[in-house]
Amino acid sequence: MRALPGRCAHARQARRSQEMRVRAYLCSFVVILSLLCADSKEDAALLNGADSLYRGDFATSFDEFISLFEETKEPYYAKLAAQAAMGKRDTKSALLLAELYIKLSGNDEDLIINKILADVYAQNGQIDQAIKVLEKIYKQEPSNEVGEVLGNMYMLRSMPQNAQPIFQQIYDTTHHIDMLKKLLLAFVAQKQEQKALGVLSQHLLHYGCEERFCEEAIGIYTDLRGLDFAKDVFEKLYVKNPTIPAAMNFMRVLIALKQFQEAQGIAKSFPFDKGLLLDLYVMQGDYARAQKEARQAYEQSQNPKFLALEAVYEFSAQEQPTHKQAESIAKKLGEAIALLQAKGRQESQPETPQDAFFYNFYGYLLIDYEIDIKRGMEYVQKALAIEPYAIAYVDSLAWGYYKLGDCERAIKAFSQIPKDQITNNPDLRAHSYQIEGVCGKQDMSQKRVKQ
């Protein structure tokens, strides 16, 4: 191939030596200028391939550069063809051409080629090879993007000691939450929980946290057994900025620490949903206070949900409710449910898991105290229609069949409950003994009669 004269030859030489990325290495001006300088078949093929590469037509570009490489055996064309192959997601060809470029040129430090190799190795799951190439790239281009990929590869290979300083450097630059999470993970993987807690605490105190990350942070403190650290941090954030979100986060920590009295004090200082204060009383087993609070909430809002909760808490406050008390509470709960259903129809609202809870509670009262077993079964069925896999509701159904004397259905329903759930729950164990015991004896008696 003859050399281009003057300025055109100089332009051609510049094209061959540049190391810019796939879509940025040629600008429109260069393409136009090069077209003006082209005076050979090879030049025209090069320019067509470059233009196709620039426009994202990777298949055409690949064909042009492969043809040029086959004709000239110049490594540079193998490199361009490798770029085009990656563009059209032909990783097999990209890998072969990249390796061929290194073999022919003797240059294993080419940034673009190494990026192609790293990408292909990563996609093929060849993590060790990807790490070696990424280490070369990171030395040449210590960017956050490359560093994060390399750090991720180190973590995949259980090398947190290598990933941690990279994540630390990127976090120090960006203070980005995603990078903070990766840094914490690297510390934990090295069993450096105290360092992880320290970094997390410093981040929260300096930069605060958005609602979702606040919840995640409390979870991290809990997992690392650092709730005392969390209390100190979220208390400072709350004192510094006593808003409802800050109060909620501080209360979450206090509840996790079972410091309910302190949480109650905060809850009373803000116009939270009354349900939050009720939950705090329930967590402490103070059903009498919860009942009183539910009554006040109903009087203020006229929301029948609180009327239903009042009935539930009234029952729970009794150590051993009598049949008369159960009848009275069931009547109140039934009236509250009727109001809830009317409200739902009026507002065209679908039934919720909370509705299912009330249906089951009411149904179980009617069944267990034999107030109206069949009606109770109807409400348990309503609860199961909303939440068909709720173990408590399946238990109520089985108990209803048992109370009706339908042993076959009682055993069938109860068999849906996993054995480990029965073992760990005293109420389920009690029902298991009665259902399987009594019904089992009846089944044996029937078999003897048939014999």
Side-chain angles (χ1 to χ4, degrees), residues 268-309:
K268 291 177 179 178
S269 302
F270 289 89
F272 291 124
D273 185 321
K274 288 293 184 181
L276 175 61
L277 195 56
L278 291 174
D279 288 343
L280 287 170
Y281 287 133
V282 170
M283 287 175 188
Q284 299 172 80
D286 192 347
Y287 292 104
R289 291 280 296 278
Q291 179 190 345
K292 182 179 178 182
E293 192 72 30
R295 163 54 63 176
Q296 291 177 356
Y298 174 67
E299 290 172 351
Q300 291 171 6
S301 67
Q302 293 299 302
N303 187 336
K305 173 185 74 173
F306 294 113
L307 195 62
L309 286 172

Side-chain angles (χ1 to χ4, degrees), residues 25 44-54 57 60-61 64-65:
Y25 86 104
L46 173 61
L47 296 170
N48 287 334
D51 183 53
S52 298
L53 191 64
Y54 176 76
D57 183 359
T60 300
S61 179
E64 292 282 6
F65 291 137

Side-chain angles (χ1 to χ4, degrees), residues 364 395 414 422 424-432:
Y364 185 77
D395 174 53
F414 203 77
I422 297 172
N424 297 324
N425 187 304
D427 293 331
L428 291 177
R429 286 202 304 272
H431 285 179
S432 175

Side-chain angles (χ1 to χ4, degrees), residues 216-420:
E216 288 184 54
I218 293 170
I220 294 170
Y221 279 115
T222 302
D223 293 340
L224 299 182
R225 299 178 182 179
L227 282 172
D228 289 331
F229 284 94
K231 181 181 178 181
D232 180 63
V233 169
F234 283 98
E235 183 175 15
K236 287 177 179 176
L237 292 174
Y238 168 63
V239 170
K240 180 180 179 182
N241 188 25
T243 61
I244 288 179
M248 282 294 298
N249 292 324
F250 186 30
M251 286 174 60
R252 287 188 182 107
V253 176
L254 292 173
I255 290 169
L257 287 167
K258 301 187 185 304
Q259 296 177 3
F260 302 116
Q261 294 290 331
E262 195 171 348
Q264 277 176 209
I266 298 172
K268 291 177 179 178
S269 302
F270 289 89
F272 291 124
D273 185 321
K274 288 293 184 181
L276 175 61
L277 195 56
L278 291 174
D279 288 343
L280 287 170
Y281 287 133
V282 170
M283 287 175 188
Q284 299 172 80
D286 192 347
Y287 292 104
R289 291 280 296 278
Q291 179 190 345
K292 182 179 178 182
E293 192 72 30
R295 163 54 63 176
Q296 291 177 356
Y298 174 67
E299 290 172 351
Q300 291 171 6
S301 67
Q302 293 299 302
N303 187 336
K305 173 185 74 173
F306 294 113
L307 195 62
L309 286 172
E310 182 194 2
V312 170
Y313 297 147
E314 182 181 351
F315 181 83
S316 302
Q318 311 301 320
E319 288 189 13
Q320 290 183 327
T322 65
H323 193 279
K324 186 176 181 180
Q325 287 174 323
E327 281 186 317
S328 174
I329 293 168
K331 183 180 179 182
K332 291 179 184 178
L333 185 53
E335 291 171 353
I337 286 173
L339 290 172
L340 277 169
Q341 289 174 327
K343 184 173 183 287
R345 287 191 297 270
Q346 183 180 0
E347 298 175 357
S348 300
Q349 294 293 329
E351 292 184 313
T352 67
Q354 186 173 62
D355 293 317
F357 169 78
F358 290 138
Y359 292 159
N360 178 71
F361 201 100
Y362 179 55
Y364 185 77
L365 269 180
L366 297 178
I367 292 167
D368 196 44
Y369 284 86
E370 299 181 1
I371 299 168
D372 188 338
I373 298 174
K374 290 185 177 180
R375 182 172 173 79
M377 291 285 285
E378 290 174 5
Y379 274 89
V380 170
Q381 294 280 17
K382 285 177 179 288
L384 283 166
I386 299 170
E387 293 193 287
Y389 303 108
I391 290 173
Y393 306 165
V394 174
D395 174 53
S396 296
L397 183 68
W399 193 240
Y401 284 131
Y402 171 77
K403 287 283 188 175
L404 288 171
D406 190 340
C407 277
E408 183 178 351
R409 287 186 176 182
I411 291 175
K412 183 178 180 181
F414 203 77
S415 67
Q416 298 176 46
I417 302 174
K419 295 293 184 183
D420 62 322

Side-chain angles (χ1 to χ4, degrees), residues 67 136-137 149 159 332 361 413:
S67 296
K136 290 182 181 181
I137 297 171
V149 175
M159 299 165 67
K332 291 179 184 178
F361 201 100

Side-chain angles (χ1 to χ4, degrees), residues 66-94:
I66 282 293
S67 296
L68 283 171
F69 175 73
E70 289 175 347
E71 290 176 8
T72 66
K73 304 303 180 185
E74 284 201 27
Y76 179 64
Y77 294 137
K79 173 181 173 179
L80 293 176
Q83 290 177 256
M86 285 301 293
K88 69 189 189 84
R89 299 180 182 180
D90 181 358
T91 55
K92 184 176 180 180
S93 297

